[in-house]
Amino acid sequence: MAEEATSTSGRPDACIAYHQYRNEEDMRTVMGLVDAELSEPYSIFTYRYFLRSWPQLCFLARDGDRCFGAIVAKLERHRDALYRGYIAMLVVEKPYRVLGVGEMTSFGAGGGT
C-alpha cells in the first residue's frame, strides 16, 4: 500500500484517505481511538513498543480531517525462515465500520496480500 491512498466509500459523504504512522501526534490519535472504541486499556509503553518498532505497519484512516480508524501490527522472523505477523490493535469508529476500512488497513499492514 502506498503511504497515502484515497478512496470513496459506500457512504456518499465520505472520502477516505489512508496513511502510514508518521509521528507522536499520530500516536496520540491512535491512543484516543483505542480508548474510545475498545474495551481493553493499553499503557503508553504498549503503544510505544509497537509504533516505534514497526511504524511502517501502522495505518490510519481519515475522512477529511477526522481520523476514525487505525491498525497497529508487527512482523517478526519465526523459526529462522518464516515471518509471523500480528495485529495488535484494529479500531474503526462505529459509523464507519460498514465501509471495509478494517479490511483495507489490514491489507496495508500486510503489504497488500
Side-chain angles (χ1 to χ4, degrees):
M1 175 181 248
E3 184 167 319
E4 185 144 349
T6 304
S7 69
T8 303
S9 68
R11 204 175 132 161
D13 62 335
C15 184
I16 300 171
Y18 301 89
H19 72 85
Q20 278 184 320
Y21 174 82
R22 294 181 283 220
N23 54 36
E24 291 280 320
E25 185 177 324
D26 281 348
M27 182 169 65
R28 286 189 294 276
T29 301
V30 171
M31 290 173 64
L33 283 168
V34 170
D35 289 347
E37 297 293 327
L38 301 181
S39 60
E40 184 176 349
Y42 294 100
S43 75
I44 186 74
F45 303 108
T46 302
Y47 291 102
R48 286 197 172 129
Y49 169 72
F50 285 101
L51 296 173
R52 289 185 176 169
S53 300
W54 300 277
Q56 73 280 12
L57 297 179
C58 174
F59 290 87
L60 289 82
R62 295 186 179 275
D63 182 3
D65 290 337
R66 178 186 182 84
C67 185
F68 64 87
I71 186 169
V72 177
K74 75 176 191 174
L75 184 66
E76 293 182 311
R77 187 171 289 284
H78 176 68
R79 295 187 182 162
D80 297 327
L82 302 173
Y83 283 93
R84 181 186 298 181
Y86 174 80
I87 296 175
M89 300 165 211
L90 175 61
V91 59
V92 178
E93 289 180 344
K94 288 180 184 178
Y96 292 88
R97 289 185 185 166
V98 299
L99 305 178
V101 172
E103 184 177 356
M104 284 298 298
T105 53
S106 296
F107 282 129
T113 57

